[in-house]
Amino acid sequence: MATSPSILDTLRRHWGYTAFRPLQADIIGSVLEGRDTLGLMATGGGKSITFQVPALMLPGLTLVVTPLISLMKDQVDNLLARGIRAYFLHAGLRPAESRLIYDKCRLGKARILYVSPEKLQSESFRQQLSRLPVSLIVVDEAHCISQWGYDFRPSYLKISELRKKLPDIPVLALTASATPEVVEDICRQLEFRADARVFRLSFNRTNLNYIVRRCDLKEEQLIHIASRVAGSGIVYVRSRKRTRQIAEALAAAGISADFYHAGLAPEEKAVRQNRWKTDETRIMVATTAFGMGIDKPDVRLVVHFDPPSSLEEYYQEAGRGARDGKDAYAVSLVAPSDKGVLTRRLNDAFPPKEYIREIYNRLCVFLNIYMGEGFGQVYEFNLEEFCRRNSLQPGQASAALKILTQSGWIEYIEEIATRSRLMVVMTRRDLYDLRLDPEAERVFQHVLRTSTGIFADYEHIDEPSMASALGLTEQTVYENLLKLSRMHVISYVPRKSTPYIVMSRSRQEGRHVQIPREVYEERRERMAHRIEAMKRFLFANDECRNNTLLRYFGEKPQCGCGKCDVCRSQRATHHASPAETIRQAEQAVVYALTHFPDGVTVDRLAAYLAIPTQSVIATVRALADRGELRFDTTTLTVYPR
């Protein structure tokens, strides 16, 4: 290692940073010493640097296992833009594309190879593995290997087979949130050696203000908060439909907003994400598909419109705020009904076992898999169509598919969104003799002019941009690309957003489909524990919110944060006189009425201010008696004077 450039020089040369974030250099040093290493770094802590820097300093290939396919593609694009040769493998690639990537890795023309966990079960991958010059194995989202974790994936258990095939290669495991028992399980499952090292960043985010707001009218409260907190923000919801509805409500209130979910086309996702990153859009209303791997440091507001199912999920999502070290707000909007919502999620996530076996039978019929067949095969899968044909509820069916995945019968990959890509496959000599009609010629010449390296590798293309540049319709461009593909001039893979089913075993009779206790009963108990912890965080007011998080993740807090709503409430109770409390309430009501020039009901005003209705009524009556506002006691409507 003496002749290698320093890790700081590598960081500066390729990323332009002059210093590492906390723990990054320690983890990198441990990896370069050849030790098995576990890094627990909060969202935004810079996990990717801890393996990307060693990848450039080690002689061979760094193999990265990650379940986040969209993040995998983003990271590869970013690395290629920095001149770092990186590729990725997942079930959505064609065999020819996979073979090309294997060849590049084998010949030393790649430094980093990302693989999805289901690829580890592929016979072709296992055959290729022995030919690859692997120097480091990286397990991202390492909590997925633990059945104690909130997002266990049985395909991750195959990583231990990598250790048997590559016993001398160090393993770096990374995760943002893990309880002590999950940390211990990760080290055991990955068979860490005796000299392994574990590096932890504290879960204490001193610049995050954890706030819980109880309200019946969440949209009103969200608009109020977004209008009071300046800067960029994210609003997390659990429904694709609701992302649009809430974004439209924010926009109608004059707040710049857009929506994002996994069902959008890849190009549309990229456009919306870029607008938000460059501050053209201020608030992004999104499902949890948004935020992974996005390095936007100045997010000042993260709002949970719907409660997450665990503190692990909450911590990761809230942690996308304040990455620049300045203060930000993590706000949870909580309605009384949310307790019941969280309880129902437990039953929805674990439907009856007989129902799960019936879903297995219907899935095999839907995919035309005969008894004893299907092992290792990959099938495109449309959940909506599957449910429509079988008169099923999508939520329950999806939960059953996940349990079948965790039981090792299938691998349900919910969504792989791929951009269009193509490669020229005809030899340059044959191209000289190629005769095309004028329209196809225009399309092909445009491809040749605008794409580099297209004779050696697949490159992404954007049909709408091509259509605009050529003055053609998107359909015309698409049809001509298909024509060129049928003529074997190019290999063209159109964009798509498709879930997949990978058959982990040959089809069996449904009655023989066993659901292990550790997958069903034990995981149900652990989910119940996580939901109860989430309820305590959202509904209890006897402990600092930050301390509740720290205790959950195994840390011992010394004192309250002083910033969360519980600490603020306690401080206000201790220091504010009764007269001061009344004055503050009156000021809040008068200010709020500036947003309702045509009047507002007491209930809406109470929701807007996040204070009890009876307190609002008392305050309004006092102000009305002094002539500072008008109060219609018949309709309980308040008007500015």
Side-chain angles (χ1 to χ4, degrees):
M1 299 303 298
T3 58
S4 298
S6 73
I7 60 174
L8 189 57
D9 286 344
T10 302
L11 179 76
R12 186 182 296 114
R13 185 167 61 254
H14 291 279
W15 284 271
Y17 301 140
T18 56
F20 285 101
R21 295 179 184 177
L23 286 193
Q24 284 181 329
D26 298 311
I27 293 172
I28 292 168
S30 177
V31 168
L32 293 177
E33 289 172 2
R35 298 173 185 262
D36 293 334
T37 307
L38 172 60
L40 280 86
M41 303 176 71
T43 300
K47 295 194 300 294
S48 58
I49 288 290
T50 64
F51 64 83
Q52 290 172 353
V53 168
L56 298 179
M57 301 178 69
L58 293 169
L61 179 72
T62 292
L63 185 66
V64 183
V65 182
T66 176
L68 307 174
I69 294 169
S70 58
L71 177 56
M72 185 192 303
K73 293 184 294 183
D74 289 343
Q75 289 205 5
V76 167
D77 288 343
N78 290 334
L79 289 167
L80 291 173
R82 297 180 188 279
I84 300 169
R85 293 169 296 182
Y87 298 92
F88 62 90
L89 291 168
H90 61 74
L93 294 178
R94 291 184 172 184
E97 293 178 282
S98 297
R99 285 195 298 271
L100 187 62
I101 291 170
Y102 285 131
D103 288 344
K104 289 179 181 294
C105 294
R106 184 169 45 81
L107 297 172
K109 295 182 178 180
R111 302 308 297 264
I112 302 176
L113 176 63
Y114 291 82
V115 298
S116 57
E118 80 277 356
K119 264 293 177 184
L120 303 179
Q121 303 176 65
S122 159
E123 183 60 34
S124 62
F125 177 81
R126 289 198 289 266
Q127 290 175 354
Q128 292 283 351
L129 183 61
S130 60
R131 305 172 193 168
L132 302 181
V134 178
S135 295
L136 174 65
I137 299 168
V138 179
V139 183
D140 198 12
E141 305 296 326
H143 57 272
C144 293
I145 202 170
S146 172
Q147 293 207 33
W148 295 99
Y150 74 97
D151 194 21
F152 168 65
R153 305 192 182 200
S155 56
Y156 257 57
L157 298 176
K158 297 292 182 181
I159 298 171
S160 61
E161 295 181 9
L162 291 179
R163 298 234 62 171
K164 293 180 176 62
K165 291 182 177 293
L166 304 168
D168 300 322
I169 304 302
V171 172
L172 169 60
L174 298 165
T175 184
S177 57
T179 59
E181 62 185 0
V182 171
V183 169
E184 184 179 336
D185 201 25
I186 290 170
C187 296
R188 182 172 59 252
Q189 294 288 356
L190 292 175
E191 301 177 11
F192 271 20
R193 294 169 292 194
D195 64 345
R197 301 189 68 183
V198 177
F199 295 93
R200 293 179 176 86
L201 275 178
S202 172
F203 285 88
N204 189 14
R205 295 289 304 276
T206 57
N207 56 331
L208 267 183
N209 297 259
Y210 298 109
I211 308 292
V212 174
R213 285 282 177 261
R214 290 173 177 76
C215 50
D216 291 311
L217 303 174
K218 291 189 179 184
E219 280 191 13
E220 297 279 355
Q221 185 64 210
L222 174 61
I223 291 168
H224 171 65
I225 292 168
S227 65
R228 295 283 294 275
V229 178
S232 182
I234 308 172
V235 178
Y236 282 113
V237 300
R238 296 182 68 89
S239 152
R240 292 183 182 182
K241 181 180 179 181
R242 200 178 297 185
T243 60
R244 179 193 289 272
Q245 292 172 341
I246 296 173
E248 289 175 348
L250 286 168
I255 298 167
S256 171
D258 205 344
F259 65 95
Y260 184 106
H261 56 71
L264 297 172
E267 293 83 4
E268 187 63 30
K269 286 182 187 176
V271 168
R272 294 180 187 211
Q273 181 173 300
N274 189 59
R275 285 177 182 161
W276 178 77
K277 288 177 72 173
T278 58
D279 296 322
E280 291 180 58
T281 300
R282 187 178 149 227
I283 305 291
M284 186 66 79
V285 185
T287 58
T288 54
F290 184 76
M292 295 175 180
I294 294 176
D295 190 16
K296 183 170 172 58
D298 59 345
V299 176
R300 301 270 72 86
L301 177 67
V302 178
V303 178
H304 280 89
F305 197 91
D306 299 318
S309 295
S310 71
L311 285 174
E312 288 94 337
E313 294 171 70
Y314 172 81
Y315 183 79
Q316 289 206 33
E317 291 160 12
R320 287 166 190 150
R323 294 185 178 187
D324 56 4
K326 299 178 183 178
D327 271 11
Y329 295 89
V331 182
S332 296
L333 301 181
V334 179
S337 59
D338 283 334
K339 268 191 179 180
V341 167
L342 285 168
T343 300
R344 284 194 298 276
R345 280 190 200 155
L346 181 63
N347 295 325
D348 291 343
F350 291 90
K353 287 187 176 182
E354 283 308 310
Y355 175 85
I356 296 169
R357 294 187 180 100
E358 181 60 24
I359 290 294
Y360 176 83
N361 282 332
R362 296 190 183 196
L363 175 69
C364 291
V365 171
F366 181 76
L367 298 176
N368 292 319
I369 302 172
Y370 295 102
M371 205 65 68
E373 296 186 355
F375 172 68
Q377 296 298 309
V378 180
Y379 301 88
E380 290 188 10
F381 177 67
N382 186 320
L383 177 64
E384 185 178 334
E385 177 65 15
F386 174 66
C387 292
R388 188 188 63 78
R389 284 197 202 174
N390 291 280
S391 301
L392 300 168
Q393 292 294 325
Q396 270 199 322
S398 180
L401 292 170
K402 289 176 183 176
I403 291 173
L404 288 167
T405 294
Q406 291 157 355
S407 301
W409 291 97
I410 65 170
E411 184 81 16
Y412 175 39
I413 307 166
E414 291 192 62
E415 199 123 19
I416 298 179
T418 61
R419 292 163 58 190
S420 298
R421 54 201 187 274
L422 61 77
M423 180 175 71
V424 176
V425 294
M426 184 172 280
T427 65
R428 294 177 186 270
R429 178 177 297 177
D430 289 340
L431 285 176
Y432 286 119
D433 299 324
L434 182 64
R435 296 292 179 267
L436 298 171
D437 62 67
E439 203 168 64
E441 180 70 27
R442 286 182 64 201
V443 171
F444 186 48
Q445 288 301 322
H446 179 83
V447 168
L448 295 177
R449 286 195 308 272
T450 57
S451 302
T452 58
I454 204 165
F455 285 88
D457 203 350
Y458 283 86
E459 291 212 355
H460 292 130
I461 61 166
D462 182 22
E463 292 92 332
S465 297
M466 290 177 62
S468 177
L470 293 170
L472 301 172
T473 66
E474 287 184 43
Q475 184 64 25
T476 300
V477 168
Y478 172 71
E479 289 172 355
N480 279 283
L481 289 171
L482 286 179
K483 182 190 297 182
L484 290 165
S485 186
R486 286 194 295 268
M487 295 172 67
H488 304 293
V489 177
I490 62 173
S491 174
Y492 171 52
V493 185
R495 68 173 181 262
K496 59 184 176 182
S497 183
T498 312
Y500 283 84
I501 296 288
V502 181
M503 291 297 291
S504 304
R505 306 185 193 181
S506 301
R507 180 185 174 183
Q508 305 292 318
E509 292 183 20
R511 59 194 175 91
H512 294 147
V513 172
Q514 296 300 310
I515 312 296
R517 175 177 173 76
E518 60 268 21
V519 169
Y520 193 89
E521 286 84 0
E522 292 181 13
R523 286 187 58 76
R524 194 180 196 282
E525 290 172 11
R526 288 195 284 272
M527 184 177 179
H529 170 73
R530 287 193 292 271
I531 284 177
E532 287 306 311
M534 193 73 239
K535 285 181 182 178
R536 171 166 177 73
F537 179 82
L538 294 175
F539 293 99
N541 292 313
D542 59 347
E543 184 179 33
C544 163
R545 306 283 179 207
N546 189 51
N547 287 357
T548 300
L549 282 170
L550 294 179
R551 289 186 195 281
Y552 182 80
F553 288 114
E555 293 188 35
K556 294 181 179 179
Q558 301 300 315
C559 59
C561 69
K563 294 184 174 184
C564 71
D565 62 294
V566 174
C567 289
R568 293 180 185 201
S569 175
Q570 291 173 349
R571 187 168 63 242
T573 301
H574 291 155
H575 296 292
S577 66
E580 177 65 15
T581 301
I582 292 170
R583 188 185 68 80
Q584 290 175 355
E586 289 179 350
Q587 286 180 338
V589 168
V590 171
Y591 174 79
L593 284 179
T594 63
H595 295 279
F596 300 100
D598 298 323
V600 61
T601 64
V602 168
D603 285 340
R604 287 189 68 189
L605 187 57
Y608 187 78
L609 294 171
I611 58 179
T613 301
Q614 290 305 314
S615 297
V616 172
I617 291 175
T619 303
V620 164
R621 286 186 186 279
L623 289 167
D625 289 344
R626 298 203 301 267
E628 296 182 35
L629 52 75
R630 292 185 296 117
F631 182 33
D632 186 333
T633 56
T634 304
T635 61
L636 293 181
T637 303
V638 188
Y639 301 91
R641 173 55 68 188

